[in-house]
């Protein structure tokens, strides 16, 4: 194999390891018993360390340098340069504490007890400040963090983009409130059995285009979509018998993410060209 082919193979193996970690994260938020949280956190931290080794290895750097100049090498270099700025211990610490924080948030939400989650939240903020400092930034710490979601964007460019939208949205809301028109939304807040809500959500998601032969729908505390491969995309939602919109809207939103993931090119799996272009497009 030439250097470009070797790079593609290396990236594919790394992605396979990453999807194994993603599956454990999905399991933690859907099926895993709560008592398993401490060991699951250790599992995820261990995998994070292995991934960090691969993502920052000299071998990967050399393959990027030797590979044919093009989109794959360019995207791989961007990720490599960011990853090599992060200390391995910080990467593992973030993974471990994030897994513990997830369970604490679920417990706090159920008990309506913010105090239980507060130390975990403070810990996460402190971790992300250290993460931003490791990557480096010129004016705002979030400039360093947003690169994981939208490469090249900064707080300043996002403010410029979102300011007109903020003004337009505020104006629209004011006109709606001043119109005097009242919508009857009582049907949304009637009691609906969870099994019927699930049937409706699956039916509408399938009608939109989500392929349940290559995906599934499960229950979680906070809805999300997890794409392992284009052939294994997992949606989650939550149900409230007295408010059907919660499940319906979240299912449809996550189905949109799922359709994006199912539409990624299977033959490019592991290659940056087979990944989502960014979270803005995803949303």
């Amino acid at each position: 194999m030439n250097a470009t082919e070797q790079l593609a193979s290396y990236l594919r193996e790394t992605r396979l390891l990453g999807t194994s970690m993603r599956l454990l994260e999905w399991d933690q938020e859907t099926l895993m018993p709560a008592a398993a949280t401490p060991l699951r956190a250790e599992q995820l931290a261990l995998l994070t360390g292995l991934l960090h080794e691969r993502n920052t290895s000299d071998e990967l750097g050399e393959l990027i340098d030797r590979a044919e100049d093009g989109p794959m090498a360019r995207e791989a270099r961007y990720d490599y340069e960011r990853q090599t700025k992060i200390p391995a211990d910080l990467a593992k610490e973030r993974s471990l504490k994030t897994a513990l924080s997830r369970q604490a948030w679920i417990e706090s939400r159920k008990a309506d007890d913010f105090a239980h989650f507060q130390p975990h939240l403070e810990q996460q903020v402190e971790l992300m400040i250290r993460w931003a400092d490791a990557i480096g930034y010129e004016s705002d710490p979030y400039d360093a963090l947003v690169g994981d979601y939208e490469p090249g964007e900064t707080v300043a460019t996002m403010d410029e983009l979102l300011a007109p939208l903020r003004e337009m949205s505020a104006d629209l809301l004011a006109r709606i409130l001043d119109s005097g028109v009242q919508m009857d939304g009582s049907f949304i807040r009637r009691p609906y059995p969870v099994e019927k809500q699930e049937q409706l959500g699956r039916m509408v998601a399938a009608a939109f285009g989500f392929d349940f032969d290559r995906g599934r729908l499960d229950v979680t505390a906070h809805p999300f979509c997890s794409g392992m491969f284009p052939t294994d995309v997992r949606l989650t939602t939550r149900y409230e018998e007295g408010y059907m919109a919660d499940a319906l809207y979240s299912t449809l939103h996550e189905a949109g993410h799922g359709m994006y993931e199912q539409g990624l090119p299977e033959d490019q799996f592991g290659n940056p060209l087979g990944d989502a272009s960014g979270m803005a497009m995803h949303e």
Side-chain angles (χ1 to χ4, degrees):
M1 291 190 293
N2 60 37
T4 301
E5 292 170 333
Q6 289 178 308
L7 175 60
S9 177
Y10 189 101
L11 294 174
R12 181 182 174 86
E13 288 183 358
T14 303
R15 183 62 184 272
L16 286 169
L17 182 60
T19 54
S20 300
M21 179 174 168
R22 188 174 296 177
L23 185 59
L24 289 177
E25 292 173 333
W26 169 86
D27 176 71
Q28 180 184 0
E29 298 204 39
T30 54
L31 301 173
M32 188 191 80
T37 298
L39 280 177
R40 177 55 51 85
E42 288 189 43
Q43 283 180 301
L44 292 171
L46 176 61
L47 283 171
T48 296
L50 296 175
L51 276 169
H52 190 271
E53 287 179 17
R54 288 189 63 86
N55 285 326
T56 61
S57 70
D58 291 340
E59 179 184 358
L60 176 57
E62 291 168 4
L63 286 174
I64 294 172
D65 287 338
R66 290 168 45 216
E68 179 182 351
D69 188 32
M72 180 178 69
R74 183 188 67 233
E75 296 298 321
R77 184 179 301 280
Y78 174 84
D79 291 337
Y80 181 74
E81 290 177 351
R82 284 179 65 83
Q83 291 284 339
T84 52
K85 294 176 181 177
I86 304 296
D89 288 346
L90 177 58
K92 290 187 285 187
E93 181 184 0
R94 178 185 174 188
S95 178
L96 178 75
K97 291 181 177 177
T98 297
L100 296 174
S101 294
R102 283 194 186 110
Q103 185 58 38
W105 177 83
I106 291 171
E107 294 166 356
S108 298
R109 184 177 185 275
K110 188 179 297 184
D112 193 20
D113 178 14
F114 176 72
H116 177 62
F117 180 62
Q118 182 174 351
H120 293 272
L121 178 59
E122 292 171 348
Q123 198 173 64
Q124 288 296 309
V125 171
E126 186 268 337
L127 278 168
M128 296 317 298
I129 291 173
R130 289 164 57 195
W131 198 272
D133 287 341
I135 293 173
Y137 55 89
E138 291 186 6
S139 57
D140 192 298
Y142 193 64
D143 290 346
L145 303 179
V146 74
D148 286 338
Y149 306 99
E150 282 301 320
E153 292 296 333
T154 64
V155 171
T157 60
M158 288 187 293
D159 281 346
E160 183 179 356
L161 174 68
L162 296 175
L165 180 61
R166 183 186 304 116
E167 294 175 8
M168 183 176 65
S169 299
D171 177 65
L172 176 61
L173 177 60
R175 286 190 285 122
I176 291 172
L177 294 175
D178 292 342
S179 70
V181 176
Q182 295 291 323
M183 185 186 76
D184 181 8
S186 59
F187 72 97
I188 292 177
R189 295 192 175 274
R190 296 173 188 166
Y192 293 97
V194 167
E195 59 270 20
K196 294 295 184 182
Q197 293 189 47
E198 181 183 3
Q199 290 174 15
L200 176 63
R202 291 177 64 89
M203 180 184 71
V204 179
F208 271 26
F210 184 77
D211 184 357
F212 279 99
D213 288 334
R214 298 188 297 152
R216 56 182 293 131
L217 175 65
D218 294 276
V219 179
T220 190
H222 183 78
F224 65 95
C225 169
S226 187
M228 317 298 170
F229 318 98
T231 52
D232 184 1
V233 180
R234 306 187 181 207
L235 313 180
T236 65
T237 192
R238 64 187 178 202
Y239 299 100
E240 184 180 333
E241 287 205 354
Y243 184 53
M244 63 173 271
D246 193 4
L248 180 61
Y249 294 165
S250 62
T251 299
L252 294 182
H253 178 90
E254 301 307 336
H257 286 300
M259 290 163 61
Y260 189 116
E261 291 290 321
Q262 289 181 339
L264 294 173
E266 292 182 41
D267 62 345
Q268 296 291 334
F269 172 77
N271 184 324
L273 301 181
D275 287 340
S277 62
M279 283 308 299
M281 182 63 71
H282 226 308
E283 292 296 340

PDB file of all heavy atoms in Angstrom, residues 87-102:
ATOM      1  N   PRO A  87      -2.865  16.752  26.647  1.00  0.00           N
ATOM      2  CA  PRO A  87      -2.150  15.726  27.418  1.00  0.00           C
ATOM      3  C   PRO A  87      -3.008  14.475  27.589  1.00  0.00           C
ATOM      4  O   PRO A  87      -4.229  14.571  27.776  1.00  0.00           O
ATOM      5  CB  PRO A  87      -1.900  16.401  28.766  1.00  0.00           C
ATOM      6  CG  PRO A  87      -2.032  17.869  28.506  1.00  0.00           C
ATOM      7  CD  PRO A  87      -3.047  18.001  27.417  1.00  0.00           C
ATOM      8  N   ALA A  88      -2.396  13.319  27.509  1.00  0.00           N
ATOM      9  CA  ALA A  88      -3.137  12.062  27.620  1.00  0.00           C
ATOM     10  C   ALA A  88      -3.884  11.975  28.950  1.00  0.00           C
ATOM     11  O   ALA A  88      -5.030  11.510  29.000  1.00  0.00           O
ATOM     12  CB  ALA A  88      -2.181  10.882  27.465  1.00  0.00           C
ATOM     13  N   ASP A  89      -3.255  12.407  30.023  1.00  0.00           N
ATOM     14  CA  ASP A  89      -3.895  12.341  31.340  1.00  0.00           C
ATOM     15  C   ASP A  89      -5.154  13.203  31.391  1.00  0.00           C
ATOM     16  O   ASP A  89      -6.153  12.819  32.017  1.00  0.00           O
ATOM     17  CB  ASP A  89      -2.918  12.787  32.436  1.00  0.00           C
ATOM     18  CG  ASP A  89      -1.819  11.764  32.695  1.00  0.00           C
ATOM     19  OD1 ASP A  89      -1.966  10.621  32.228  1.00  0.00           O
ATOM     20  OD2 ASP A  89      -0.828  12.117  33.360  1.00  0.00           O
ATOM     21  N   LEU A  90      -5.121  14.347  30.723  1.00  0.00           N
ATOM     22  CA  LEU A  90      -6.302  15.206  30.697  1.00  0.00           C
ATOM     23  C   LEU A  90      -7.419  14.557  29.894  1.00  0.00           C
ATOM     24  O   LEU A  90      -8.591  14.625  30.292  1.00  0.00           O
ATOM     25  CB  LEU A  90      -5.946  16.564  30.095  1.00  0.00           C
ATOM     26  CG  LEU A  90      -7.097  17.562  29.921  1.00  0.00           C
ATOM     27  CD1 LEU A  90      -7.787  17.850  31.250  1.00  0.00           C
ATOM     28  CD2 LEU A  90      -6.590  18.860  29.281  1.00  0.00           C
ATOM     29  N   ALA A  91      -7.081  13.922  28.793  1.00  0.00           N
ATOM     30  CA  ALA A  91      -8.095  13.254  27.973  1.00  0.00           C
ATOM     31  C   ALA A  91      -8.782  12.144  28.765  1.00  0.00           C
ATOM     32  O   ALA A  91     -10.014  12.008  28.742  1.00  0.00           O
ATOM     33  CB  ALA A  91      -7.458  12.691  26.707  1.00  0.00           C
ATOM     34  N   LYS A  92      -7.996  11.345  29.487  1.00  0.00           N
ATOM     35  CA  LYS A  92      -8.578  10.249  30.276  1.00  0.00           C
ATOM     36  C   LYS A  92      -9.378  10.778  31.462  1.00  0.00           C
ATOM     37  O   LYS A  92     -10.438  10.234  31.796  1.00  0.00           O
ATOM     38  CB  LYS A  92      -7.459   9.308  30.736  1.00  0.00           C
ATOM     39  CG  LYS A  92      -6.846   8.498  29.607  1.00  0.00           C
ATOM     40  CD  LYS A  92      -5.861   7.460  30.095  1.00  0.00           C
ATOM     41  CE  LYS A  92      -4.561   8.084  30.523  1.00  0.00           C
ATOM     42  NZ  LYS A  92      -3.528   7.061  30.849  1.00  0.00           N
ATOM     43  N   GLU A  93      -8.880  11.827  32.091  1.00  0.00           N
ATOM     44  CA  GLU A  93      -9.600  12.414  33.227  1.00  0.00           C
ATOM     45  C   GLU A  93     -10.957  12.963  32.787  1.00  0.00           C
ATOM     46  O   GLU A  93     -11.977  12.764  33.462  1.00  0.00           O
ATOM     47  CB  GLU A  93      -8.772  13.535  33.850  1.00  0.00           C
ATOM     48  CG  GLU A  93      -9.448  14.183  35.061  1.00  0.00           C
ATOM     49  CD  GLU A  93      -8.661  15.356  35.612  1.00  0.00           C
ATOM     50  OE1 GLU A  93      -7.579  15.685  35.052  1.00  0.00           O
ATOM     51  OE2 GLU A  93      -9.125  15.969  36.597  1.00  0.00           O
ATOM     52  N   ARG A  94     -10.968  13.628  31.642  1.00  0.00           N
ATOM     53  CA  ARG A  94     -12.236  14.171  31.134  1.00  0.00           C
ATOM     54  C   ARG A  94     -13.227  13.049  30.849  1.00  0.00           C
ATOM     55  O   ARG A  94     -14.409  13.141  31.190  1.00  0.00           O
ATOM     56  CB  ARG A  94     -11.982  14.985  29.865  1.00  0.00           C
ATOM     57  CG  ARG A  94     -13.251  15.545  29.253  1.00  0.00           C
ATOM     58  CD  ARG A  94     -12.979  16.248  27.936  1.00  0.00           C
ATOM     59  NE  ARG A  94     -14.210  16.647  27.291  1.00  0.00           N
ATOM     60  CZ  ARG A  94     -14.291  17.153  26.064  1.00  0.00           C
ATOM     61  NH1 ARG A  94     -13.187  17.321  25.340  1.00  0.00           N
ATOM     62  NH2 ARG A  94     -15.458  17.485  25.546  1.00  0.00           N
ATOM     63  N   SER A  95     -12.768  11.970  30.233  1.00  0.00           N
ATOM     64  CA  SER A  95     -13.643  10.845  29.917  1.00  0.00           C
ATOM     65  C   SER A  95     -14.216  10.213  31.184  1.00  0.00           C
ATOM     66  O   SER A  95     -15.419   9.949  31.277  1.00  0.00           O
ATOM     67  CB  SER A  95     -12.871   9.791  29.111  1.00  0.00           C
ATOM     68  OG  SER A  95     -13.689   8.678  28.837  1.00  0.00           O
ATOM     69  N   LEU A  96     -13.355   9.980  32.166  1.00  0.00           N
ATOM     70  CA  LEU A  96     -13.785   9.364  33.417  1.00  0.00           C
ATOM     71  C   LEU A  96     -14.825  10.219  34.126  1.00  0.00           C
ATOM     72  O   LEU A  96     -15.905   9.740  34.512  1.00  0.00           O
ATOM     73  CB  LEU A  96     -12.572   9.152  34.324  1.00  0.00           C
ATOM     74  CG  LEU A  96     -12.849   8.548  35.703  1.00  0.00           C
ATOM     75  CD1 LEU A  96     -13.128   7.056  35.575  1.00  0.00           C
ATOM     76  CD2 LEU A  96     -11.683   8.785  36.652  1.00  0.00           C
ATOM     77  N   LYS A  97     -14.531  11.501  34.283  1.00  0.00           N
ATOM     78  CA  LYS A  97     -15.416  12.372  35.052  1.00  0.00           C
ATOM     79  C   LYS A  97     -16.702  12.699  34.296  1.00  0.00           C
ATOM     80  O   LYS A  97     -17.748  12.923  34.909  1.00  0.00           O
ATOM     81  CB  LYS A  97     -14.671  13.651  35.440  1.00  0.00           C
ATOM     82  CG  LYS A  97     -13.574  13.378  36.471  1.00  0.00           C
ATOM     83  CD  LYS A  97     -12.832  14.633  36.885  1.00  0.00           C
ATOM     84  CE  LYS A  97     -11.793  14.327  37.966  1.00  0.00           C
ATOM     85  NZ  LYS A  97     -10.996  15.515  38.338  1.00  0.00           N
ATOM     86  N   THR A  98     -16.647  12.700  32.969  1.00  0.00           N
ATOM     87  CA  THR A  98     -17.861  12.921  32.197  1.00  0.00           C
ATOM     88  C   THR A  98     -18.824  11.755  32.368  1.00  0.00           C
ATOM     89  O   THR A  98     -20.034  11.954  32.514  1.00  0.00           O
ATOM     90  CB  THR A  98     -17.527  13.110  30.707  1.00  0.00           C
ATOM     91  OG1 THR A  98     -16.719  14.279  30.555  1.00  0.00           O
ATOM     92  CG2 THR A  98     -18.797  13.272  29.878  1.00  0.00           C
ATOM     93  N   ALA A  99     -18.304  10.543  32.369  1.00  0.00           N
ATOM     94  CA  ALA A  99     -19.160   9.371  32.570  1.00  0.00           C
ATOM     95  C   ALA A  99     -19.821   9.396  33.948  1.00  0.00           C
ATOM     96  O   ALA A  99     -21.002   9.069  34.087  1.00  0.00           O
ATOM     97  CB  ALA A  99     -18.339   8.092  32.398  1.00  0.00           C
ATOM     98  N   LEU A 100     -19.075   9.795  34.961  1.00  0.00           N
ATOM     99  CA  LEU A 100     -19.643   9.895  36.308  1.00  0.00           C
ATOM    100  C   LEU A 100     -20.662  11.038  36.377  1.00  0.00           C
ATOM    101  O   LEU A 100     -21.690  10.927  37.053  1.00  0.00           O
ATOM    102  CB  LEU A 100     -18.526  10.119  37.328  1.00  0.00           C
ATOM    103  CG  LEU A 100     -17.503   8.982  37.463  1.00  0.00           C
ATOM    104  CD1 LEU A 100     -16.373   9.391  38.399  1.00  0.00           C
ATOM    105  CD2 LEU A 100     -18.168   7.700  37.972  1.00  0.00           C
ATOM    106  N   SER A 101     -20.388  12.116  35.663  1.00  0.00           N
ATOM    107  CA  SER A 101     -21.300  13.259  35.667  1.00  0.00           C
ATOM    108  C   SER A 101     -22.630  12.913  35.018  1.00  0.00           C
ATOM    109  O   SER A 101     -23.681  13.406  35.443  1.00  0.00           O
ATOM    110  CB  SER A 101     -20.668  14.443  34.931  1.00  0.00           C
ATOM    111  OG  SER A 101     -19.540  14.920  35.619  1.00  0.00           O
ATOM    112  N   ARG A 102     -22.605  12.088  33.968  1.00  0.00           N
ATOM    113  CA  ARG A 102     -23.848  11.703  33.300  1.00  0.00           C
ATOM    114  C   ARG A 102     -24.824  11.077  34.291  1.00  0.00           C
ATOM    115  O   ARG A 102     -25.999  11.424  34.329  1.00  0.00           O
ATOM    116  CB  ARG A 102     -23.556  10.703  32.178  1.00  0.00           C
ATOM    117  CG  ARG A 102     -22.987  11.292  30.909  1.00  0.00           C
ATOM    118  CD  ARG A 102     -23.068  10.277  29.784  1.00  0.00           C
ATOM    119  NE  ARG A 102     -22.411  10.754  28.576  1.00  0.00           N
ATOM    120  CZ  ARG A 102     -21.289  10.263  28.085  1.00  0.00           C
ATOM    121  NH1 ARG A 102     -20.669   9.286  28.712  1.00  0.00           N
ATOM    122  NH2 ARG A 102     -20.767  10.731  26.972  1.00  0.00           N
TER     123      ARG A 102
END
